[in-house]
Amino acid sequence: MVEVRGELDMATAPQLRDNLQRLIDAGDRQVVVDLAGVGFMDSSALGTLVVMFKALRDVDGRLCLAAVQPGVRRLLSITSVDRVIDIYEDVRGAEADMLSSDGVTGG
């Protein structure tokens, strides 16, 4: 799990990407990004999430988002990213779903 706080923008998106890439390089395949502490996200951060979603998908992994705040949720909805990346009300729900689908193909 990656917990993010503050604003996700062009200044902080590279740090998010580096943190997620480290998890992938370490072998993590089920990654939850906790956005409870994020009130603002710009297009560069949105792009970072999509790129890392694809990177995990390419290694049969999964990235999902949890505790997304209303402003960020609107951005995800407007851009239809919420149709691609699963969003959960909280980290517990995301982790539970990850565990229940771990090792399941086609789902």
Side-chain angles (χ1 to χ4, degrees):
M1 191 224 4
V2 174
E3 184 178 356
V4 184
R5 294 191 181 282
E7 295 186 352
L8 270 177
D9 55 25
M10 63 187 299
T12 57
Q15 182 180 358
L16 174 62
R17 186 186 190 292
D18 291 346
N19 288 338
L20 291 171
Q21 189 62 55
R22 271 195 287 280
L23 290 176
I24 295 169
D25 292 345
D28 288 346
R29 295 297 177 258
Q30 306 286 332
V31 178
V32 177
V33 179
D34 179 357
L35 296 176
V38 176
F40 173 81
M41 179 187 297
D42 74 3
S43 60
S44 61
L46 186 67
T48 295
L49 288 174
V50 171
V51 165
M52 299 316 294
F53 167 82
K54 290 178 179 179
L56 272 159
R57 185 187 62 194
D58 290 347
V59 294
D60 295 323
R62 184 171 167 215
L63 177 122
C64 68
L65 308 176
V68 179
Q69 299 304 301
V72 174
R73 188 177 278 273
R74 274 192 300 278
L75 174 65
L76 297 170
S77 177
I78 289 167
T79 58
S80 296
V81 170
D82 62 347
R83 295 181 184 196
V84 178
I85 301 176
D86 292 327
I87 299 174
Y88 295 87
E89 291 300 315
D90 54 35
V91 171
R92 182 178 294 175
E95 289 177 339
D97 189 57
M98 290 277 198
L99 287 173
S100 70
S101 64
D102 192 25
V104 176
T105 58

